Amino acid sequence: MPEICRFFGIIIRMFFDDHNPPHFHTEYSRRKAVFDLRGNILQGDLRSKVAVRLVRDWIDLHSEELETDWKLAKQGKPLKKIDPLQ
């Protein structure tokens, strides 16, 4: 599963040819969660309100890039790295 971004200890990945709805996988401090592209947690728990807020802030800044990567992943094409939250 390609890593598309990493910031403040949060790792963000997207699977190739994954199921709908569009989403990505996060990992923080050995905890995992799946977010949709609107910031809703679909599965798992990061157990950190701060980490969840940071992921949602990052989504707000990069929603178009996430949609582009989702489309690329569905086609089995290489994903583009997305700038980290700073």
Side-chain angles (χ1 to χ4, degrees):
M1 170 171 35
E3 181 178 311
I4 58 173
C5 192
R6 183 184 293 243
F7 57 90
F8 303 119
I10 299 166
I11 302 167
I12 300 182
R13 297 182 174 105
M14 209 177 264
F15 280 114
F16 285 110
D17 198 28
D18 209 349
H19 59 85
N20 280 314
H23 64 277
F24 58 88
H25 300 254
T26 60
E27 185 175 342
Y28 175 74
S29 190
R30 290 190 263 165
R31 302 291 304 179
K32 296 180 180 183
V34 177
F35 285 78
D36 69 14
L37 303 189
R38 293 184 182 149
N40 299 306
I41 296 176
L42 303 176
Q43 182 179 349
D45 183 8
L46 295 181
R47 283 208 177 171
S48 166
K49 291 179 183 180
V50 172
V52 170
R53 192 195 76 219
L54 291 172
V55 170
R56 288 180 173 151
D57 289 347
W58 179 80
I59 293 168
D60 289 343
L61 293 171
H62 301 288
S63 60
E64 289 179 21
E65 294 160 285
L66 281 164
E67 289 178 27
T68 297
D69 266 355
W70 178 259
K71 290 174 186 173
L72 291 170
K74 292 296 280 182
Q75 298 169 5
K77 295 182 179 176
L79 305 182
K80 297 178 181 180
K81 296 280 187 184
I82 299 175
D83 290 337
L85 195 62
Q86 297 182 18

Coordinates of all heavy atoms in Angstrom, one line a residue:
M1 N 0.9 -1.2 0.0 CA 0.0 0.0 0.0 C 0.9 1.2 0.0 O 1.7 1.4 0.9 CB -0.9 -0.1 1.2 CG -1.7 1.2 1.5 SD -2.9 1.1 2.8 CE -2.3 0.0 4.0
P2 N 0.8 2.1 -1.0 CA 1.7 3.2 -1.1 C 1.4 4.3 -0.1 O 0.3 4.6 0.2 CB 1.4 3.8 -2.5 CG 0.8 2.7 -3.3 CD 0.1 1.8 -2.2
E3 N 2.5 4.8 0.5 CA 2.4 5.9 1.4 C 2.3 7.2 0.6 O 3.2 7.4 -0.3 CB 3.7 5.9 2.3 CG 3.7 7.0 3.3 CD 4.9 7.0 4.2 OE1 5.2 5.9 4.7 OE2 5.5 8.0 4.4
I4 N 1.3 8.0 0.9 CA 1.2 9.3 0.1 C 1.6 10.5 0.9 O 1.8 11.5 0.4 CB -0.2 9.4 -0.5 CG1 -1.3 9.4 0.6 CG2 -0.5 8.4 -1.5 CD1 -2.7 9.7 0.1
C5 N 1.7 10.3 2.2 CA 2.0 11.5 3.1 C 2.4 11.0 4.5 O 2.0 9.9 4.9 CB 0.9 12.5 3.2 SG 1.4 14.1 3.9
R6 N 3.2 11.8 5.1 CA 3.6 11.6 6.5 C 3.9 12.9 7.2 O 4.6 13.8 6.7 CB 4.9 10.7 6.5 CG 5.4 10.3 7.9 CD 6.7 9.6 7.8 NE 6.6 8.3 7.2 CZ 6.8 7.2 7.8 NH1 7.2 7.1 9.0 NH2 6.7 6.0 7.1
F7 N 3.2 13.1 8.4 CA 3.4 14.3 9.1 C 3.1 14.1 10.6 O 2.2 13.4 10.9 CB 2.6 15.5 8.5 CG 1.1 15.2 8.5 CD1 0.3 15.5 9.5 CD2 0.6 14.6 7.3 CE1 -1.1 15.3 9.4 CE2 -0.8 14.4 7.2 CZ -1.6 14.7 8.3
F8 N 3.9 14.7 11.5 CA 3.7 14.6 12.9 C 3.4 13.2 13.4 O 2.6 13.0 14.3 CB 2.5 15.5 13.3 CG 2.7 17.0 13.0 CD1 1.7 17.6 12.1 CD2 3.8 17.7 13.4 CE1 1.9 18.9 11.8 CE2 3.9 19.1 13.0 CZ 3.0 19.7 12.2
G9 N 4.1 12.3 12.8 CA 4.0 10.9 13.2 C 2.8 10.1 12.6 O 2.6 9.0 12.9
I10 N 2.1 10.8 11.8 CA 0.9 10.2 11.1 C 1.3 9.8 9.7 O 1.9 10.5 9.0 CB -0.3 11.3 11.0 CG1 -0.7 11.7 12.4 CG2 -1.5 10.7 10.3 CD1 -1.6 13.0 12.4
I11 N 1.0 8.5 9.4 CA 1.3 8.0 8.1 C 0.0 7.8 7.4 O -1.0 7.2 7.9 CB 2.0 6.6 8.2 CG1 3.3 6.8 9.0 CG2 2.3 6.0 6.8 CD1 3.9 5.5 9.4
I12 N -0.1 8.2 6.1 CA -1.3 8.1 5.3 C -1.0 7.3 4.1 O 0.0 7.6 3.3 CB -1.8 9.5 4.9 CG1 -2.1 10.3 6.2 CG2 -3.0 9.4 4.0 CD1 -2.7 11.6 6.1
R13 N -1.8 6.3 3.8 CA -1.6 5.4 2.7 C -2.9 5.2 2.0 O -4.0 5.4 2.5 CB -1.1 4.0 3.2 CG 0.2 4.0 3.9 CD 0.6 2.6 4.4 NE 1.9 2.6 4.9 CZ 2.2 2.5 6.2 NH1 1.2 2.4 7.1 NH2 3.5 2.5 6.6
M14 N -2.8 4.7 0.7 CA -3.9 4.4 -0.1 C -3.6 3.1 -0.8 O -2.6 2.9 -1.4 CB -4.2 5.5 -1.1 CG -5.6 5.7 -1.5 SD -5.9 7.1 -2.6 CE -6.4 8.4 -1.4
F15 N -4.6 2.2 -0.8 CA -4.5 0.9 -1.5 C -4.8 1.1 -3.0 O -5.6 1.9 -3.4 CB -5.5 -0.1 -1.0 CG -5.2 -0.8 0.2 CD1 -5.9 -0.6 1.4 CD2 -4.1 -1.7 0.3 CE1 -5.6 -1.2 2.6 CE2 -3.8 -2.4 1.5 CZ -4.6 -2.1 2.6
F16 N -4.2 0.3 -3.8 CA -4.5 0.2 -5.3 C -5.8 -0.6 -5.4 O -6.0 -1.6 -4.7 CB -3.4 -0.4 -6.1 CG -2.2 0.5 -6.3 CD1 -1.0 0.2 -5.7 CD2 -2.3 1.6 -7.1 CE1 0.1 1.0 -5.8 CE2 -1.2 2.4 -7.3 CZ 0.0 2.1 -6.7
D17 N -6.7 -0.1 -6.3 CA -7.9 -0.8 -6.7 C -8.7 -1.2 -5.4 O -9.2 -2.3 -5.3 CB -7.6 -2.0 -7.5 CG -8.8 -2.5 -8.3 OD1 -9.7 -1.7 -8.5 OD2 -8.9 -3.7 -8.5
D18 N -8.9 -0.3 -4.5 CA -9.6 -0.5 -3.2 C -11.1 -0.4 -3.5 O -11.5 0.2 -4.5 CB -9.1 0.4 -2.2 CG -9.2 -0.2 -0.8 OD1 -9.8 -1.2 -0.6 OD2 -8.6 0.4 0.2
H19 N -11.9 -0.8 -2.5 CA -13.4 -0.7 -2.6 C -13.8 0.7 -2.3 O -13.1 1.5 -1.7 CB -14.0 -1.7 -1.5 CG -13.5 -1.4 -0.1 ND1 -14.1 -0.4 0.6 CD2 -12.5 -1.8 0.6 CE1 -13.5 -0.4 1.8 NE2 -12.5 -1.2 1.8
N20 N -15.0 1.0 -2.7 CA -15.7 2.2 -2.4 C -16.3 2.2 -1.0 O -16.5 1.1 -0.5 CB -16.8 2.5 -3.5 CG -16.2 3.1 -4.7 OD1 -15.4 3.9 -4.7 ND2 -16.7 2.5 -5.9
P21 N -16.5 3.3 -0.4 CA -16.3 4.7 -0.8 C -14.9 5.1 -0.9 O -14.0 4.4 -0.2 CB -17.1 5.5 0.2 CG -16.9 4.7 1.5 CD -17.0 3.3 1.0
P22 N -14.5 6.2 -1.6 CA -13.1 6.6 -1.6 C -12.6 6.9 -0.2 O -13.4 7.5 0.6 CB -13.2 7.9 -2.4 CG -14.4 7.8 -3.3 CD -15.4 7.0 -2.4
H23 N -11.5 6.4 0.1 CA -10.9 6.5 1.5 C -9.4 6.3 1.5 O -8.8 6.0 0.5 CB -11.6 5.4 2.4 CG -11.2 4.1 2.0 ND1 -11.9 3.4 1.0 CD2 -10.3 3.2 2.4 CE1 -11.4 2.2 0.8 NE2 -10.4 2.0 1.7
F24 N -8.8 6.5 2.7 CA -7.4 6.3 2.9 C -7.2 5.7 4.2 O -8.1 5.8 5.1 CB -6.5 7.5 2.6 CG -6.9 8.7 3.5 CD1 -6.3 8.8 4.7 CD2 -7.8 9.6 3.1 CE1 -6.6 9.9 5.5 CE2 -8.1 10.7 3.9 CZ -7.5 10.9 5.1
H25 N -6.0 5.1 4.4 CA -5.7 4.5 5.7 C -4.7 5.3 6.4 O -3.7 5.9 5.8 CB -5.1 3.1 5.4 CG -6.1 2.2 4.7 ND1 -6.7 1.2 5.3 CD2 -6.5 2.2 3.4 CE1 -7.5 0.6 4.5 NE2 -7.4 1.2 3.3
T26 N -4.8 5.4 7.8 CA -3.9 6.2 8.6 C -3.3 5.3 9.7 O -4.0 4.4 10.1 CB -4.6 7.4 9.2 OG1 -5.7 7.0 10.1 CG2 -5.2 8.4 8.2
E27 N -2.2 5.7 10.1 CA -1.6 5.0 11.3 C -0.9 6.1 12.1 O -0.2 7.0 11.6 CB -0.5 4.0 10.8 CG 0.1 3.2 11.9 CD 1.0 2.1 11.4 OE1 0.9 1.8 10.2 OE2 1.8 1.6 12.2
Y28 N -1.1 6.0 13.4 CA -0.5 6.9 14.3 C -0.2 6.2 15.7 O -1.2 5.6 16.2 CB -1.4 8.1 14.6 CG -0.9 9.1 15.6 CD1 0.2 9.9 15.4 CD2 -1.4 9.1 16.9 CE1 0.7 10.7 16.3 CE2 -0.9 10.0 17.9 CZ 0.2 10.8 17.6 OH 0.7 11.6 18.5
S29 N 1.0 6.1 16.1 CA 1.4 5.5 17.3 C 0.8 4.0 17.4 O 0.1 3.7 18.4 CB 0.9 6.3 18.5 OG 1.4 5.9 19.7
R30 N 1.0 3.3 16.3 CA 0.5 1.9 16.2 C -1.0 1.7 16.2 O -1.5 0.6 16.3 CB 1.2 1.0 17.2 CG 2.6 0.8 17.0 CD 3.2 -0.2 17.9 NE 3.8 0.5 19.0 CZ 4.2 -0.1 20.1 NH1 4.0 -1.4 20.2 NH2 4.8 0.6 21.1
R31 N -1.8 2.8 16.1 CA -3.2 2.8 16.0 C -3.6 3.0 14.6 O -2.9 3.8 13.9 CB -3.9 3.8 16.9 CG -3.5 3.7 18.4 CD -4.1 2.5 19.0 NE -5.6 2.5 18.9 CZ -6.3 1.5 19.3 NH1 -5.8 0.5 20.0 NH2 -7.6 1.5 19.1
K32 N -4.6 2.4 14.1 CA -5.0 2.6 12.7 C -6.5 3.0 12.5 O -7.3 2.6 13.4 CB -4.8 1.2 11.9 CG -3.4 0.8 11.9 CD -3.2 -0.5 11.2 CE -1.7 -0.9 11.1 NZ -1.4 -2.1 10.4
A33 N -6.7 3.8 11.5 CA -8.1 4.2 11.2 C -8.2 4.4 9.7 O -7.2 4.7 9.0 CB -8.4 5.5 11.9
V34 N -9.4 4.3 9.2 CA -9.7 4.5 7.8 C -10.6 5.8 7.7 O -11.6 5.8 8.4 CB -10.4 3.3 7.1 CG1 -10.8 3.6 5.7 CG2 -9.5 2.1 7.2
F35 N -10.2 6.7 6.9 CA -11.0 8.0 6.8 C -11.6 8.0 5.4 O -10.9 7.7 4.4 CB -10.1 9.2 6.9 CG -9.7 9.5 8.3 CD1 -8.7 8.8 9.0 CD2 -10.3 10.6 9.0 CE1 -8.3 9.1 10.3 CE2 -10.0 10.9 10.3 CZ -8.9 10.2 10.9
D36 N -12.8 8.6 5.2 CA -13.3 8.9 3.9 C -12.7 10.2 3.5 O -12.0 10.9 4.3 CB -14.8 8.8 3.8 CG -15.5 9.9 4.5 OD1 -14.9 10.9 4.9 OD2 -16.8 9.8 4.7
L37 N -12.9 10.7 2.3 CA -12.3 11.9 1.8 C -12.9 13.2 2.4 O -12.5 14.3 2.1 CB -12.2 11.9 0.3 CG -11.5 10.8 -0.4 CD1 -11.4 11.0 -1.9 CD2 -10.2 10.4 0.2
R38 N -13.9 13.0 3.2 CA -14.6 14.1 3.9 C -14.1 14.3 5.3 O -14.5 15.2 6.0 CB -16.1 14.0 3.8 CG -16.6 14.1 2.4 CD -18.1 14.1 2.4 NE -18.7 14.2 1.1 CZ -19.8 13.6 0.7 NH1 -20.5 12.9 1.6 NH2 -20.2 13.7 -0.5
G39 N -13.4 13.3 5.8 CA -12.9 13.3 7.2 C -13.6 12.5 8.2 O -13.3 12.5 9.3
N40 N -14.6 11.7 7.7 CA -15.3 10.8 8.6 C -14.5 9.5 8.8 O -13.9 9.0 7.9 CB -16.7 10.4 8.0 CG -17.5 11.6 7.7 OD1 -17.8 12.3 8.6 ND2 -18.0 11.7 6.5
I41 N -14.4 9.0 10.0 CA -13.7 7.8 10.3 C -14.7 6.6 10.0 O -15.8 6.5 10.5 CB -13.3 7.7 11.8 CG1 -12.3 8.8 12.1 CG2 -12.7 6.3 12.1 CD1 -11.8 8.9 13.5
L42 N -14.3 5.8 9.1 CA -15.1 4.7 8.6 C -14.8 3.4 9.4 O -15.6 2.5 9.6 CB -14.8 4.4 7.1 CG -15.0 5.5 6.2 CD1 -14.6 5.1 4.8 CD2 -16.5 5.9 6.2
Q43 N -13.5 3.3 9.9 CA -13.1 2.1 10.7 C -11.9 2.5 11.5 O -11.1 3.3 11.2 CB -12.7 1.1 9.6 CG -12.3 -0.3 10.2 CD -12.0 -1.2 9.1 OE1 -12.2 -1.0 7.9 NE2 -11.4 -2.4 9.5
G44 N -11.8 1.8 12.7 CA -10.6 2.0 13.5 C -10.7 3.2 14.4 O -11.8 3.9 14.5
D45 N -9.6 3.5 15.1 CA -9.6 4.7 16.0 C -8.1 5.0 16.2 O -7.3 4.2 16.6 CB -10.2 4.2 17.3 CG -10.3 5.3 18.3 OD1 -10.0 6.5 18.0 OD2 -10.7 5.0 19.5
L46 N -7.8 6.3 16.0 CA -6.4 6.7 16.3 C -6.1 7.0 17.8 O -5.0 7.1 18.2 CB -6.1 8.0 15.5 CG -6.1 7.8 14.0 CD1 -5.7 9.1 13.3 CD2 -5.1 6.7 13.5
R47 N -7.2 7.0 18.6 CA -7.1 7.3 20.0 C -6.4 8.6 20.4 O -5.9 8.7 21.5 CB -6.5 6.1 20.7 CG -7.4 4.9 20.9 CD -7.0 4.2 22.1 NE -7.9 3.1 22.3 CZ -7.7 2.1 23.1 NH1 -6.7 2.1 23.9 NH2 -8.6 1.1 23.2
S48 N -6.5 9.5 19.5 CA -5.9 10.8 19.8 C -6.7 11.8 19.0 O -6.8 11.9 17.8 CB -4.4 10.9 19.2 OG -4.0 12.2 19.2
K49 N -7.4 12.7 19.8 CA -8.2 13.7 19.2 C -7.4 14.7 18.4 O -7.8 15.2 17.4 CB -9.0 14.5 20.3 CG -10.1 13.6 20.9 CD -10.8 14.4 22.0 CE -11.9 13.5 22.7 NZ -12.6 14.2 23.7
V50 N -6.2 14.9 18.9 CA -5.3 15.8 18.2 C -4.9 15.2 16.8 O -4.9 15.9 15.8 CB -4.0 16.1 19.0 CG1 -3.0 16.9 18.2 CG2 -4.4 16.9 20.3
A51 N -4.6 13.9 16.8 CA -4.2 13.3 15.5 C -5.4 13.3 14.5 O -5.2 13.6 13.3 CB -3.7 11.9 15.7
V52 N -6.6 13.0 15.0 CA -7.8 13.1 14.2 C -8.0 14.5 13.6 O -8.2 14.7 12.4 CB -9.0 12.6 14.9 CG1 -10.3 12.8 14.1 CG2 -8.9 11.1 15.3
R53 N -7.8 15.5 14.5 CA -8.0 16.9 14.0 C -6.9 17.2 13.0 O -7.3 17.9 12.0 CB -7.9 17.8 15.2 CG -8.3 19.3 14.8 CD -7.9 20.3 15.8 NE -6.5 20.5 15.6 CZ -5.5 20.6 16.5 NH1 -5.8 20.7 17.7 NH2 -4.3 20.7 16.1
L54 N -5.7 16.8 13.2 CA -4.6 17.1 12.2 C -5.0 16.4 10.8 O -4.8 17.0 9.8 CB -3.3 16.6 12.7 CG -2.7 17.4 13.9 CD1 -1.5 16.7 14.5 CD2 -2.4 18.8 13.5
V55 N -5.4 15.2 10.9 CA -5.8 14.5 9.6 C -6.9 15.2 8.9 O -6.9 15.5 7.7 CB -6.2 13.0 9.9 CG1 -6.8 12.4 8.6 CG2 -5.0 12.2 10.4
R56 N -7.9 15.7 9.7 CA -9.0 16.4 9.1 C -8.6 17.8 8.5 O -9.0 18.2 7.4 CB -10.2 16.6 10.1 CG -10.9 15.2 10.3 CD -12.0 15.3 11.3 NE -12.7 14.1 11.4 CZ -13.3 13.6 12.5 NH1 -13.3 14.4 13.6 NH2 -13.9 12.5 12.4
D57 N -7.7 18.4 9.2 CA -7.1 19.7 8.7 C -6.4 19.4 7.4 O -6.5 20.2 6.4 CB -6.2 20.3 9.7 CG -6.9 20.9 10.9 OD1 -8.2 21.0 10.9 OD2 -6.2 21.2 11.9
W58 N -5.6 18.3 7.3 CA -4.9 18.0 6.1 C -5.8 17.7 5.0 O -5.6 18.1 3.8 CB -4.0 16.8 6.5 CG -3.2 16.3 5.3 CD1 -2.0 16.8 4.8 CD2 -3.5 15.1 4.5 NE1 -1.5 16.0 3.8 CE2 -2.4 15.0 3.6 CE3 -4.5 14.2 4.5 CZ2 -2.4 14.0 2.6 CZ3 -4.4 13.2 3.6 CH2 -3.4 13.1 2.7
I59 N -6.9 17.0 5.3 CA -7.9 16.7 4.2 C -8.5 18.0 3.7 O -8.6 18.1 2.4 CB -9.1 15.8 4.8 CG1 -8.6 14.4 5.1 CG2 -10.2 15.7 3.8 CD1 -9.6 13.6 6.0
D60 N -8.8 18.9 4.5 CA -9.4 20.2 4.1 C -8.4 20.9 3.1 O -8.9 21.5 2.1 CB -9.6 21.1 5.3 CG -10.8 20.7 6.1 OD1 -11.6 19.9 5.6 OD2 -10.9 21.2 7.2
L61 N -7.1 20.8 3.3 CA -6.2 21.4 2.5 C -5.9 20.7 1.2 O -5.5 21.3 0.2 CB -4.8 21.6 3.2 CG -4.8 22.5 4.4 CD1 -3.5 22.4 5.1 CD2 -5.1 24.0 3.9
H62 N -6.1 19.4 1.2 CA -5.7 18.5 0.0 C -6.8 17.6 -0.5 O -6.5 16.6 -1.1 CB -4.5 17.7 0.5 CG -3.4 18.5 0.9 ND1 -2.6 19.2 0.1 CD2 -2.9 18.7 2.2 CE1 -1.6 19.8 0.8 NE2 -1.8 19.5 2.0
S63 N -8.1 18.0 -0.4 CA -9.2 17.2 -0.9 C -9.1 16.9 -2.4 O -9.4 15.7 -2.8 CB -10.5 17.8 -0.5 OG -10.7 19.1 -1.1
E64 N -8.7 17.8 -3.2 CA -8.7 17.6 -4.6 C -7.5 16.6 -5.0 O -7.7 15.7 -5.8 CB -8.4 18.9 -5.4 CG -9.7 19.8 -5.4 CD -9.4 21.1 -6.1 OE1 -8.5 21.2 -6.9 OE2 -10.2 22.1 -5.8
E65 N -6.4 16.7 -4.3 CA -5.3 15.8 -4.5 C -5.6 14.4 -4.1 O -5.3 13.4 -4.7 CB -4.0 16.3 -3.8 CG -3.5 17.6 -4.3 CD -2.6 18.3 -3.3 OE1 -3.2 18.9 -2.4 OE2 -1.4 18.3 -3.5
L66 N -6.4 14.3 -3.0 CA -6.8 13.0 -2.5 C -7.8 12.3 -3.5 O -7.6 11.1 -3.8 CB -7.6 13.1 -1.2 CG -6.6 13.3 0.0 CD1 -7.4 13.8 1.2 CD2 -6.0 11.9 0.4
E67 N -8.7 13.1 -4.1 CA -9.6 12.6 -5.1 C -8.8 12.1 -6.3 O -9.1 11.1 -6.9 CB -10.6 13.6 -5.5 CG -11.6 13.8 -4.4 CD -12.7 14.9 -4.8 OE1 -12.9 15.1 -6.0 OE2 -13.2 15.5 -3.8
T68 N -7.8 12.9 -6.7 CA -6.9 12.5 -7.9 C -6.2 11.2 -7.6 O -6.2 10.3 -8.4 CB -5.9 13.6 -8.2 OG1 -6.7 14.8 -8.6 CG2 -5.0 13.2 -9.3
D69 N -5.6 11.1 -6.4 CA -4.9 9.9 -6.0 C -5.9 8.7 -6.0 O -5.5 7.6 -6.4 CB -4.2 10.0 -4.7 CG -2.7 10.4 -4.8 OD1 -2.3 10.5 -6.0 OD2 -2.1 10.6 -3.8
W70 N -7.1 8.9 -5.5 CA -8.1 7.8 -5.4 C -8.4 7.3 -6.9 O -8.4 6.1 -7.1 CB -9.4 8.2 -4.8 CG -10.4 7.2 -4.8 CD1 -11.5 7.0 -5.6 CD2 -10.4 6.0 -3.9 NE1 -12.2 5.8 -5.3 CE2 -11.5 5.2 -4.3 CE3 -9.6 5.6 -2.8 CZ2 -11.9 4.0 -3.6 CZ3 -9.9 4.4 -2.2 CH2 -11.1 3.7 -2.6
K71 N -8.5 8.2 -7.8 CA -8.8 7.8 -9.2 C -7.6 7.1 -9.8 O -7.8 6.1 -10.5 CB -9.1 9.0 -10.0 CG -10.5 9.6 -9.7 CD -10.7 10.9 -10.4 CE -12.0 11.5 -10.0 NZ -12.2 12.9 -10.6
L72 N -6.4 7.5 -9.5 CA -5.2 6.9 -9.9 C -5.1 5.4 -9.3 O -4.8 4.5 -10.0 CB -3.9 7.7 -9.6 CG -3.7 9.0 -10.3 CD1 -2.6 9.8 -9.7 CD2 -3.5 8.7 -11.8
A73 N -5.4 5.3 -8.1 CA -5.3 4.0 -7.4 C -6.3 3.1 -8.0 O -6.0 1.9 -8.2 CB -5.6 4.2 -5.9
K74 N -7.5 3.5 -8.3 CA -8.5 2.7 -8.9 C -8.1 2.2 -10.3 O -8.5 1.1 -10.7 CB -9.9 3.4 -9.1 CG -10.6 3.7 -7.8 CD -11.0 2.5 -7.0 CE -12.3 2.0 -7.5 NZ -12.7 0.8 -6.8
Q75 N -7.2 2.9 -11.0 CA -6.7 2.5 -12.3 C -5.4 1.8 -12.2 O -4.8 1.4 -13.2 CB -6.5 3.8 -13.1 CG -7.8 4.6 -13.4 CD -7.5 5.9 -14.0 OE1 -6.4 6.3 -14.4 NE2 -8.6 6.7 -14.2
G76 N -4.9 1.6 -11.0 CA -3.6 0.9 -10.8 C -2.4 1.7 -11.2 O -1.4 1.1 -11.4
K77 N -2.6 3.0 -11.3 CA -1.5 3.9 -11.7 C -0.7 4.4 -10.4 O -1.3 4.4 -9.3 CB -2.0 5.0 -12.5 CG -2.6 4.6 -13.8 CD -3.1 5.8 -14.6 CE -3.7 5.3 -15.9 NZ -4.2 6.5 -16.7
P78 N 0.5 4.8 -10.6 CA 1.3 5.4 -9.5 C 0.6 6.6 -8.8 O 0.1 7.4 -9.5 CB 2.6 5.8 -10.1 CG 2.7 5.0 -11.4 CD 1.3 4.8 -11.8
L79 N 0.6 6.6 -7.5 CA 0.0 7.7 -6.8 C 1.0 8.8 -6.6 O 2.2 8.6 -6.6 CB -0.4 7.2 -5.4 CG -1.4 6.0 -5.4 CD1 -1.8 5.7 -4.0 CD2 -2.6 6.3 -6.3
K80 N 0.5 10.0 -6.5 CA 1.3 11.2 -6.3 C 1.4 11.5 -4.8 O 0.4 11.4 -4.0 CB 0.7 12.4 -7.0 CG 0.6 12.2 -8.5 CD -0.1 13.4 -9.1 CE -0.1 13.1 -10.6 NZ -0.8 14.2 -11.4
K81 N 2.6 11.9 -4.3 CA 2.8 12.3 -2.9 C 2.0 13.6 -2.7 O 1.9 14.4 -3.6 CB 4.3 12.5 -2.6 CG 5.1 11.2 -2.7 CD 5.0 10.4 -1.5 CE 5.9 9.2 -1.6 NZ 5.8 8.4 -0.5
I82 N 1.5 13.7 -1.5 CA 0.8 14.9 -1.1 C 1.6 15.6 0.0 O 2.1 15.0 0.9 CB -0.7 14.6 -0.7 CG1 -1.4 13.9 -1.8 CG2 -1.4 15.8 -0.2 CD1 -2.8 13.4 -1.5
D83 N 1.7 16.9 -0.1 CA 2.4 17.7 0.9 C 1.9 17.4 2.3 O 0.7 17.4 2.5 CB 2.4 19.2 0.6 CG 3.2 19.6 -0.6 OD1 4.1 18.8 -1.0 OD2 2.8 20.6 -1.2
P84 N 2.8 17.4 3.3 CA 2.4 17.2 4.6 C 1.8 18.5 5.3 O 2.0 19.6 4.7 CB 3.7 16.8 5.4 CG 4.7 17.4 4.5 CD 4.2 17.4 3.1
L85 N 1.1 18.3 6.3 CA 0.6 19.4 7.1 C 1.8 20.0 7.9 O 2.7 19.2 8.4 CB -0.4 18.9 8.2 CG -1.3 19.9 8.9 CD1 -2.1 20.7 7.9 CD2 -2.2 19.2 9.9
Q86 N 2.0 21.3 7.9 CA 3.1 21.9 8.6 C 2.7 22.9 9.6 O 1.7 23.4 9.6 CB 4.0 22.6 7.5 CG 4.5 21.7 6.5 CD 5.4 22.4 5.5 OE1 5.9 23.5 5.7 NE2 5.7 21.7 4.4

